[in-house]
Amino acid sequence: MQGIAFRLATLTLLFSSLIFAGIVGYNYMVSRDIIVELAEERGMLLAESTAERISSSLNSVQKVVESISFSLEDSSITRDLLGRLGRRVLSGNSEIFGTAIAFEPFGFSSDREYYTSYTYRSQNRLTHTILGGADYQYFYMDWYQLPKEFEQPIWTEPYYDEGGGNQLMATFSVPFYRKQAGHQVLRGVVTADISIARIQKLISEINANESGYVFMLSRYGTFIAHPDSELVMNETIFTSAESLEHPLLTSVGRRMIGGEIGVEEVSDLPVIGDSFIYFSPLPDQQWSIGVVFPKKEMLADVAGLNKEVAAMGGFGFFALALLITYITTKTTHPLRNLTASANHMASGDLDAQLPEVTSCDEVGELTAAFRTMQDSLKQHIADLTQTTAAKERIESELRIAHEIQMSILPKLFPAFPERSEFDVYAFIESAREVGGDLYDFFFVDDDRFYFLVGDVSGKGVPAAFFMAMTKTLLKVVAEPGLDPGDVLSKVNEDLAEDNDSCMFVTLFLAVIDVNTGEVRYANAGHNPPLILPKGEPAQWVPPENELMAGVMEGMQYTTRSMTMRPGDTIFIYTDGVTEAMNDKNELYSEDRLIEIMNDCGGLSAQEIVDTVERSLKGFTGGAEQSDDITILTLQYLGK
Amino acid sequence: MEITYDKREGGMRIEVNGRMDAITASTFEDACGKVIDEGEKMLVVDCTLLEYISSAGLRSILIAAKKLKAAGGTMCFCGLSGMVEEVFQVSGMGSMFSVTTTADEAFHS
């Protein structure tokens, strides 16, 4: 089950990990930018400072050579002087490997075509020698030819000095002149050799301290210094770029020999991979220094920092997870207890023990509310049990009252099988409640037969009482000598006396002389009955419009009379018949009644009642009956 | 069922609208009881808008009339028609009370 605790913890942790990932990402970006910027500055600075260091070292060499060239102009030069000069230069300038003073053909003396005084270092000693000859034709060498042709000081490309210094060197050469008939005439060239090995050593010293490396290019792109000694003097940056199939490296080489200062990000260099190359020129020599920094190493710090941040974040995340789990579990614990209790209650155990309220928070309030609900439910169920019991008792009493009420009505048919003069049939159907309809019939003497239908106002027990009282009074009062009107007047007196509740009853009371068929009748506010004469249409018994019984004392009821011929039928009913309703709220109505009655010619008393009952049922279609329905039919058959 | 009061010179017209049956009869009874308690002697019940009256309705009229009579007043009816008029006739209530066509007639008789 995914409880509140689980969801809360999951959501919180998910959200905090998102925030954390954002922070780490941002931190990585920013610190990377800072470190890369710092590394760029450092790389640039290193390139420039290296260039400057080498430059300044070479500049001092240049100055020395230039000052010698001045001193040689117009001075008388001897072999000794040259030797001394060479020794002085070398002993004063440790960076110079060797120095030469070379003369134009026959420039030193008319008998010597070649003359070069060369002083150089050899096994910690200074050695002096005279060079030149068929085996060392220096006039065609770069160090001599270039300054001569360009008439200015010049640095040669590094070269291996076969027969001179016998090692890899670069030479700075300055031409010197003498005045001859007002013209400057070239007399020779002064040079200083610097050992490339020395520069390489200087660079390798820098390399030792750095994670990347420094290299140097000559003016044509030849590697003068590089950690890979295979490349030095054998390859140019262009041939190297070609063998690596690296066009960007070619472009870097072009910019370097073009004397630019700059930086380039270069991918996939041998050994060190993706790198930055910073470069700075040595303008006098037209050489260029390059510093290579592996990207990986530059970003190693960033990665390290990020790892630390991630580790700290991970630890924090773990701590947060523990804390949230602890808090949510502790918070939802009483809720789970309450749920268990509520489930008990739901399964019907209203006495289920609820957890103790220990906190003043929402769970505490909920528990208190549950306790109140539990108490209310218990109370309610107790009340309901009591009410139901009371209701059942009342209903049972009402049912008994109804049974008693029905039992006082004559229900055995045929009621008088021994009498052939007439046929009587009655039908009563109570509504759901106890009602107040009544009918009755009885002989007051051998010939006179009383029959009646009544309807007490209202429903329920009071109506039932009133109905029983009316029926009893009628039976008691009806005597052989009295007309129905007199009977009604007497009964009305008794009913109306002290009738504070204003209950009343409508009554149609009639007596028939079975010998003659003469009917005498009275009507106390009852709806008029129907007469169905044999072979003729039904017709209403004209109403008297006299007041219901029980309303007012002192009423005198009129007795009317009519004569029934054999085969005539009288149909007395209560308004439950004509006011029966269907589900469209339509009344059965007197029109329908008279219509169905006209179809009843020739039927017996019971058949007429059954026909009307069926018609009523068909009309209401089972809609709930709201009033009692009572019908009494008497068919006179004759003596 | 709705009951509207209309105070007139010499009495009170009570207009009854709807059905007066077992459920609503007590409303009419209470309404008349209140008017009688206030001292009205002449009560004209206008039945123009009354659609239906049951025996319980008749009973509530009788109770109110009895109370009014004890207080020395009279109850009249006007605007009877249709089913209500028929019930009044058949039950004999029509002969027990003074019945007029309009309320004005009742007040001026």
Side-chain angles (χ1 to χ4, degrees):
Chain A
M1 191 188 75
Q2 295 194 350
I4 294 174
F6 178 79
R7 268 182 293 161
L8 189 63
T10 311
L11 279 176
T12 314
L13 292 177
L14 190 70
F15 195 62
S16 45
S17 15
L18 283 177
I19 293 175
F20 172 63
I23 290 172
V24 170
Y26 180 75
N27 181 65
Y28 178 78
M29 304 267 285
V30 170
S31 51
R32 195 188 69 156
D33 286 354
I34 292 171
I35 288 179
V36 167
E37 205 174 310
L38 282 177
E40 269 182 21
E41 273 175 31
R42 194 167 56 134
M44 226 40 245
L45 211 64
L46 187 66
E48 281 168 15
S49 68
T50 307
E52 210 164 289
R53 253 171 93 183
I54 295 170
S55 249
S56 71
S57 156
L58 298 182
N59 280 348
S60 66
V61 172
Q62 283 172 224
K63 284 206 180 77
V64 169
V65 177
E66 274 161 1
S67 71
I68 293 171
S69 79
F70 279 124
S71 70
L72 288 175
E73 281 179 18
D74 294 325
S75 59
S76 51
I77 298 164
T78 62
R79 185 192 156 99
D80 278 354
L81 175 74
L82 293 176
R84 274 204 312 278
L85 205 56
R87 262 195 295 279
R88 212 173 61 215
V89 166
L90 290 193
S91 57
N93 299 280
S94 60
E95 56 270 47
I96 299 174
F97 168 74
T99 179
I101 301 164
F103 290 88
E104 280 281 276
F106 309 103
F108 182 70
S109 66
S110 52
D111 58 338
R112 294 190 69 156
E113 187 182 2
Y114 300 97
Y115 192 90
T116 295
S117 164
Y118 186 50
T119 313
Y120 66 102
R121 297 176 201 276
S122 171
Q123 291 153 0
N124 294 330
R125 285 180 46 235
L126 300 179
T127 310
H128 181 253
T129 180
I130 304 298
L131 294 174
D135 56 338
Y136 194 82
Q137 297 187 5
Y138 59 85
F139 304 126
Y140 307 111
M141 290 181 180
D142 281 354
W143 62 265
Y144 189 89
Q145 203 171 15
L146 291 175
K148 180 185 166 185
E149 293 303 328
F150 291 105
E151 296 182 353
Q152 62 176 27
I154 207 153
W155 275 95
T156 66
E157 279 286 282
Y159 64 101
Y160 193 81
D161 187 31
E162 189 75 53
N166 287 321
Q167 66 162 297
L168 195 59
M169 57 174 67
T171 303
F172 183 64
S173 309
V174 181
F176 64 95
Y177 305 88
R178 65 170 178 191
K179 284 227 166 59
Q180 199 169 20
H183 291 288
Q184 289 267 33
V185 176
L186 182 73
R187 201 173 176 193
V189 169
V190 186
T191 74
D193 301 330
I194 52 144
S195 164
I196 293 298
R198 203 182 139 83
I199 292 172
Q200 283 170 340
K201 191 164 165 264
L202 191 86
I203 285 171
S204 70
E205 273 166 15
I206 300 166
N207 281 348
N209 299 330
E210 296 298 335
S211 48
Y213 60 84
V214 182
F215 66 93
M216 195 160 82
L217 297 182
S218 76
R219 77 179 71 169
Y220 302 122
T222 311
F223 286 108
I224 301 172
H226 195 281
D228 182 0
S229 53
E230 290 287 308
L231 297 177
V232 176
M233 294 313 293
N234 291 328
E235 297 251 13
T236 66
I237 191 165
F238 305 109
T239 57
S240 172
E242 206 164 303
S243 65
L244 289 171
E245 293 179 0
H246 207 311
L248 191 58
L249 206 55
T250 313
S251 123
V252 170
R254 275 204 201 98
R255 290 178 66 188
M256 283 178 80
I257 63 173
E260 283 183 41
I261 298 178
V263 61
E264 194 73 64
E265 193 175 341
V266 179
S267 60
D268 217 15
L269 284 185
V271 187
I272 58 171
D274 294 351
S275 302
F276 289 96
I277 299 180
Y278 308 92
F279 45 89
S280 186
L282 277 68
D284 288 338
Q285 293 77 30
Q286 294 182 351
W287 297 346
S288 187
I289 297 282
V291 177
V292 181
F293 269 122
K295 205 170 162 186
K296 198 165 59 193
E297 210 148 318
M298 278 168 64
L299 297 181
D301 288 349
V302 186
L305 181 65
N306 234 39
K307 259 184 215 155
E308 274 170 34
V309 173
M312 275 161 63
F315 179 75
F317 182 81
F318 187 66
L320 192 64
L322 279 182
L323 186 69
I324 287 171
T325 310
Y326 173 74
I327 290 174
T328 49
T329 312
K330 198 169 150 56
T331 311
T332 52
H333 179 71
L335 210 52
R336 281 197 298 279
N337 285 346
L338 184 60
T339 308
S341 301
N343 277 333
H344 266 292
M345 274 173 69
S347 63
D349 178 15
L350 281 183
D351 294 319
Q353 188 68 42
L354 286 171
E356 284 303 312
V357 179
T358 50
S359 56
C360 300
D361 57 9
E362 290 86 343
V363 179
E365 281 173 29
L366 187 62
T367 310
F370 253 90
R371 181 151 295 144
T372 312
M373 189 186 81
Q374 191 183 32
D375 292 345
S376 308
L377 264 177
K378 275 201 246 174
Q379 184 62 44
H380 184 69
I381 285 177
D383 289 352
L384 200 63
T385 313
Q386 213 173 6
T387 312
T388 311
K391 195 175 166 225
E392 274 171 5
R393 203 181 66 238
I394 290 169
E395 273 176 0
S396 126
E397 282 171 5
L398 276 175
R399 203 168 51 245
I400 293 166
H402 183 241
E403 279 164 14
I404 292 170
Q405 187 192 20
M406 287 299 114
S407 73
I408 65 172
L409 302 178
K411 271 201 289 297
L412 200 62
F413 298 103
F416 304 99
E418 72 282 8
R419 307 299 292 243
S420 60
E421 304 94 329
F422 69 96
D423 181 16
V424 69
Y425 187 78
F427 164 85
I428 185 161
E429 180 151 330
S430 303
R432 199 171 53 83
E433 290 179 70
V434 175
D437 275 14
L438 72 150
Y439 67 83
D440 204 2
F441 44 76
F442 47 87
F443 278 101
V444 283
D445 55 32
D446 283 349
D447 303 323
R448 268 179 295 225
F449 181 68
Y450 261 94
F451 54 98
L452 63 101
V453 168
D455 184 357
V456 175
S457 65
K459 290 193 180 68
V461 174
F465 265 119
F466 206 77
M467 169 264 187
M469 199 158 73
T470 308
K471 186 195 174 274
T472 313
L473 276 171
L474 280 166
K475 190 114 187 222
V476 168
V477 171
E479 282 175 4
L482 284 176
D483 266 334
D486 301 331
V487 175
L488 274 187
S489 302
K490 278 196 170 187
V491 168
N492 177 59
E493 285 308 299
D494 286 339
L495 289 177
E497 193 181 4
D498 300 325
N499 183 10
D500 292 333
S501 62
C502 286
M503 303 273 304
F504 59 82
V505 57
T506 66
L507 279 169
F508 184 87
L509 177 64
V511 60
I512 182 167
D513 186 328
V514 295
N515 294 316
T516 61
E518 188 205 5
V519 179
R520 298 177 70 74
Y521 63 92
N523 186 344
H526 198 80
N527 46 326
L530 276 166
I531 283 285
L532 186 61
K534 190 179 179 182
E536 287 174 42
Q539 53 189 263
W540 300 108
V541 174
E544 297 302 319
N545 296 341
E546 287 179 336
L547 196 63
M548 306 87 76
V551 174
M552 197 158 58
E553 290 173 69
M555 283 293 296
Q556 287 299 318
Y557 291 92
T558 318
T559 303
R560 303 268 173 192
S561 85
M562 60 181 173
T563 304
M564 288 174 79
R565 291 166 298 156
D568 290 356
T569 309
I570 183 162
F571 181 92
I572 318 167
Y573 65 96
T574 57
D575 56 9
V577 174
T578 46
E579 287 175 18
M581 246 181 224
N582 65 7
D583 50 10
K584 290 177 199 149
N585 283 347
E586 289 167 345
L587 298 179
Y588 184 72
S589 84
E590 282 147 3
D591 294 344
R592 275 200 188 78
L593 180 61
I594 208 154
E595 204 175 305
I596 197 81
M597 284 304 291
N598 284 333
D599 294 340
C600 289
L603 298 183
S604 73
Q606 185 174 354
E607 283 165 345
I608 292 169
V609 171
D610 289 347
T611 307
V612 173
E613 194 201 338
R614 267 199 309 278
S615 161
L616 263 176
K617 288 256 163 67
F619 174 76
T620 59
E624 201 190 351
Q625 188 184 332
S626 63
D627 203 359
D628 291 357
I629 291 172
T630 305
I631 301 169
L632 186 145
T633 47
L634 184 131
Q635 196 166 53
Y636 182 60
L637 300 171
K639 186 84 182 172
Chain B
M1 190 185 70
E2 276 174 40
I3 289 174
T4 322
Y5 303 94
D6 174 21
K7 177 76 185 117
R8 298 285 188 92
E9 195 183 331
M12 173 77 85
R13 186 174 75 96
I14 294 177
E15 192 180 56
V16 190
N17 186 348
R19 294 168 61 87
M20 201 193 282
D21 53 23
I23 299 158
T24 56
S26 61
T27 316
F28 176 78
E29 206 178 304
D30 295 345
C32 290
K34 204 182 82 186
V35 173
I36 295 162
D37 287 343
E38 282 165 7
E40 286 295 343
K41 299 294 179 211
M42 177 69 173
L43 258 152
V44 177
V45 182
D46 190 336
C47 301
T48 313
L49 300 172
L50 186 61
E51 295 163 11
Y52 170 88
I53 188 160
S54 73
S55 62
L58 291 180
R59 187 174 151 250
S60 69
I61 289 174
L62 290 172
I63 291 171
K66 194 167 188 170
K67 186 170 182 178
L68 185 56
K69 196 176 175 188
T74 20
M75 186 179 274
C76 301
F77 290 85
C78 69
L80 296 175
S81 63
M83 176 266 173
V84 178
E85 187 179 23
E86 201 184 310
V87 168
F88 259 71
Q89 266 179 19
V90 170
S91 65
M93 295 264 287
S95 54
M96 189 180 168
F97 295 101
S98 135
V99 176
T100 58
T101 315
T102 65
D104 291 341
E105 273 178 64
F107 281 111
H108 293 115
S109 62

